[in-house]
Amino acid sequence: MLKPTLVTLPETQLVVKKRSMSLIDNQTQALWQSFMPRRELITN
């Protein structure tokens, strides 16, 4: 059995986007495409 361990990770910056959608009105492609104009702001 594995023992749980706590690991401290280095600070990470996140890019957050929000889009309302449903299974019928799937907007996943539009959500990902909205990242592309700002991709140069995302490092690593």
Side-chain angles (χ1 to χ4, degrees):
M1 183 174 199
L2 295 175
K3 291 182 122 182
T5 58
L6 294 176
V7 178
T8 302
L9 299 174
E11 184 177 292
T12 303
Q13 291 186 359
L14 302 175
V15 175
V16 179
K17 297 290 261 183
K18 181 179 176 182
R19 188 171 197 104
S20 296
M21 65 178 96
S22 67
L23 291 174
I24 294 171
D25 183 28
N26 189 342
Q27 297 291 314
T28 304
Q29 182 178 5
L31 178 64
W32 280 106
Q33 286 176 337
S34 70
F35 277 103
M36 296 311 286
R38 303 190 70 196
R39 69 177 170 232
E40 57 276 346
L41 299 176
I42 303 170
T43 57
N44 296 330

